[in-house]
Amino acid sequence: MKKTLTILLLCMSAGWAFGQKKGASITVDVSPLKLDSLRLFKYDNYDIYAKADKDGKFIYNLEDGLPKEVILVGPQNKMVYAFLENGSRLNIKTNFEHTTYTGKGAENSEVLNLIMNTVEAAKAKIDASAMTTKEFFDVLNRTNQMPIDLLNQNKQKVTPSFYNYGLTSFNYQKLKDYMWYGYYYILGVKKKFAEESPADLWELDQQVKYDDQLLGNRAYDALLLYFYPPYLRRKELFLQGKLDNPHELQDAFTDYQMILKYYPEGKVKKEALSKTIVSVLDQAKDLSTVKPLLDEHIAKYADNETTKMLREKYTTMDKLSSEKMAPDFTLKSLEGKDISLRDFRGKVVYIDFWASWCGPCRGEMKNGAPNLHAKFKDNQDVVFLYISLDSKVDAWKKAIDEDKIEGIHLLSQATSGVNTPVAKAFNISGIPRYVIIGRDGRIIDNDAPRPSQDITQDKISEALAK
């Protein structure tokens, strides 16, 4: 009896340990496709590239940051979606047209893939150019309600943890898009935002919760740590009757003040401040103006590791401030030639850091760049230099051909995200990013305005005048 009890306890212990096992894995079979490698996109700057094993399968193991949504990126950027939580042991067979899931966590990923593909197909049919502002906002809301409705329809098929994660994610995605896409739509059609914005836009803050337990949810993090502070800034401008006055689209310094003013004490506030202080440094035209804020942030909110990172970033940014010599580099052009930045000495260079997978980058190229180029078409002293951070050469060339992008094209291949030597040299943490270099090779603006902004022409003209 004692022996039997001992064995039973050991079995229970082993079962408990297995149930508590951390981490998740995905095994992917893409046969009959023959791929050299397969990218797992994790919504951060650290994608995983896997090579096929001896059986021709791609295996990914994740231990941290779970639960997490991930995307398998296949040929022609076709995507397969999956959801991972501790204990997921997922098997995926796909040719990126048809996909089947088996293993632990299969039902969650199957539902997520259905939701994402349905929503993406709906978004692809939206033609904002043919809509009034009200129609655009209505369509935006209806489209972003779709994943919520689909999740509820499939509630019995998924685990409670995925349902709760998904409901939070889709609700905050809907909030973010309503706060942001409408704003850029109205800017794009060149109307007055104060007159065109729907009344309920400025009441969306009532739906936002400050909840430390929700940190780690991709959509919640995106809104609270990045997109919500600018919304609060714009709401203040709207209430003051100043929203349509000229102001910076990106203003991290003021966004930092919004977090201090509106966010209650807690982890969400600390995380938001930590993310935004980095943007403050990235956007600073004159580092001396933000040095007091940096020192105050370090004293109040930063641990030793973060302090070290911020100090090092400040030193790096100081080397990229106005009037400092731009870092030189040599990259291969579209024609296979070695091109260096110093080759353009005596000319003003407008650098566009981009990638084929970056929607805003390509939107600027199609809608903003042609008009900007036209302003300087007869001026041989202006160079439009496009530096792609694509990881794949074919994707880079295909995007140039599709979008008919005119200019000088160079490739700085990324190992993941925007991780390239040139991007690091210019402290590029996100794209699109624009830099203006003067005739003497010195930096005029290391965070220049976009091609679609009217001020960009003036900035280039000022650089020419120097």
Side-chain angles (χ1 to χ4, degrees):
M1 180 67 183
K2 185 176 181 181
K3 183 177 180 181
T4 302
L5 182 60
T6 301
I7 292 172
L8 180 60
L9 289 171
L10 286 172
C11 290
M12 289 175 63
S13 176
W16 180 85
F18 180 79
Q20 296 296 314
K21 186 175 181 181
K22 293 188 66 175
S25 66
I26 307 179
T27 300
V28 186
D29 180 355
V30 298
S31 58
L33 297 179
K34 296 189 178 186
L35 303 178
D36 294 331
S37 65
L38 187 61
R39 177 162 67 108
L40 186 74
F41 178 75
K42 303 193 283 88
Y43 294 98
D44 56 26
N45 290 327
Y46 304 98
D47 300 347
I48 303 176
Y49 288 81
K51 297 285 186 182
D53 66 7
K54 60 183 178 61
D55 298 320
K57 296 179 179 178
F58 300 87
I59 299 174
Y60 305 89
N61 293 294
L62 286 82
E63 296 183 0
D64 302 317
L66 301 173
K68 179 182 284 292
E69 303 163 63
V70 298
I71 304 174
L72 290 166
V73 183
Q76 286 81 52
N77 281 333
K78 292 180 179 178
M79 299 180 184
V80 169
Y81 298 86
F83 179 80
L84 301 175
E85 53 191 342
N86 279 323
S88 295
R89 300 292 179 262
L90 194 61
N91 301 302
I92 300 177
K93 181 170 177 55
T94 184
N95 60 3
F96 293 93
E97 296 292 343
H98 303 285
T99 302
T100 57
Y101 299 87
T102 57
K104 189 174 182 182
E107 294 82 1
N108 291 337
S109 293
E110 193 172 75
V111 169
L112 177 64
N113 197 54
L114 166 69
I115 290 172
M116 298 304 292
N117 282 307
T118 303
V119 173
E120 290 301 321
K123 287 183 176 179
K125 295 178 181 178
I126 297 175
D127 181 8
S129 65
M131 297 179 185
T132 64
T133 304
K134 183 181 184 307
E135 289 171 338
F136 176 81
F137 276 97
D138 287 345
V139 168
L140 187 64
N141 257 353
R142 285 200 304 272
T143 305
N144 279 317
Q145 182 63 35
M146 290 173 62
I148 300 170
D149 294 340
L150 284 169
L151 180 64
N152 283 318
Q153 291 168 20
N154 290 277
K155 184 176 181 179
Q156 302 306 316
K157 296 181 181 179
V158 301
T159 61
S161 57
F162 172 69
Y163 176 79
N164 292 330
Y165 181 99
L167 196 60
T168 297
S169 182
F170 298 140
N171 273 309
Y172 277 91
Q173 181 72 38
K174 183 179 179 181
L175 276 175
K176 179 181 75 69
D177 287 358
Y178 202 59
M179 289 177 181
W180 275 78
Y181 285 166
Y183 182 78
Y184 281 104
Y185 167 79
I186 292 172
L187 286 180
V189 296
K190 299 187 181 302
K191 295 183 178 179
K192 289 188 177 296
F193 198 83
E195 297 173 0
E196 292 287 321
S197 59
D200 66 344
L201 179 67
W202 305 114
E203 299 172 357
L204 294 180
D205 52 327
Q206 298 174 20
Q207 301 179 43
V208 176
K209 295 181 180 178
Y210 300 96
D211 188 343
D212 293 350
Q213 300 302 313
L214 294 180
L215 285 173
N217 182 291
R218 176 179 63 84
Y220 183 81
D221 288 356
L223 182 65
L224 270 295
L225 304 185
Y226 297 100
F227 293 98
Y228 191 47
Y231 166 82
L232 293 172
R233 166 166 54 91
R234 287 167 187 153
K235 180 174 180 178
E236 282 202 354
L237 290 170
F238 171 76
L239 294 174
Q240 296 166 9
K242 299 178 181 178
L243 185 58
D244 291 299
N245 292 346
H247 62 275
E248 293 289 339
L249 288 176
Q250 297 177 316
D251 184 0
F253 188 92
T254 307
D255 292 343
Y256 191 96
Q257 307 303 323
M258 294 295 102
I259 298 169
L260 289 175
K261 182 175 181 179
Y262 290 104
Y263 282 43
E265 294 301 324
K267 192 175 179 181
V268 173
K269 179 177 182 176
K270 186 175 180 180
E271 286 288 315
L273 289 173
S274 296
K275 299 293 185 186
T276 306
I277 195 66
V278 174
S279 297
V280 170
L281 291 176
D282 284 337
Q283 294 177 18
K285 310 299 183 186
D286 181 354
L287 280 176
S288 64
T289 62
V290 300
K291 183 67 161 54
L293 182 64
L294 175 65
D295 291 339
E296 183 180 355
H297 176 87
I298 288 173
K300 290 184 177 180
Y301 301 106
D303 56 25
N304 290 337
E305 184 177 350
T306 304
T307 296
K308 183 174 182 288
M309 179 274 291
L310 290 172
R311 295 293 189 201
E312 289 176 350
K313 186 175 183 66
Y314 182 89
T315 301
T316 300
M317 291 302 300
D318 187 46
K319 295 176 182 177
L320 295 170
S321 58
S322 297
E323 300 304 324
K324 297 290 178 69
M325 290 299 297
D328 197 21
F329 55 80
T330 300
L331 296 170
K332 290 289 185 184
S333 71
L334 193 62
E335 296 75 26
K337 297 179 180 178
D338 286 336
I339 302 291
S340 299
L341 181 60
R342 61 180 174 273
D343 295 339
F344 304 109
R345 199 63 58 83
K347 301 178 184 292
V348 170
V349 184
Y350 183 80
I351 304 179
D352 183 332
F353 290 95
W354 72 289
S356 64
W357 46 261
C358 170
C361 301
R362 297 182 66 172
E364 285 289 335
M365 289 170 169
K366 288 185 282 189
N367 303 316
N371 290 333
L372 183 61
H373 288 198
K375 304 289 186 182
F376 299 98
K377 65 179 181 179
D378 298 322
N379 194 323
Q380 300 300 310
D381 287 344
V382 178
V383 174
F384 292 99
L385 185 62
Y386 292 89
I387 300 179
S388 170
L389 307 182
D390 272 292
S391 58
K392 293 188 178 295
V393 175
D394 290 346
W396 168 52
K397 292 182 176 180
K398 185 170 182 282
I400 295 171
D401 183 60
E402 287 178 346
D403 296 345
K404 305 294 187 290
I405 308 166
E406 297 181 356
I408 298 173
H409 292 280
L410 307 180
L411 177 63
S412 180
Q413 279 183 280
T415 54
S416 66
V418 297
N419 185 19
T420 81
V422 174
K424 287 181 179 178
F426 280 87
N427 195 42
I428 305 298
S429 58
I431 51 177
R433 178 72 174 267
Y434 308 93
V435 178
I436 299 176
I437 309 295
R439 297 176 186 270
D440 57 0
R442 297 182 183 276
I443 295 171
I444 300 290
D445 192 338
N446 69 1
D447 188 21
R450 300 183 178 208
S452 59
Q453 293 176 251
D454 294 336
I455 193 176
T456 308
Q457 179 187 350
D458 297 334
K459 290 273 189 180
I460 294 175
S461 297
E462 289 171 9
L464 285 168
K466 287 188 177 183

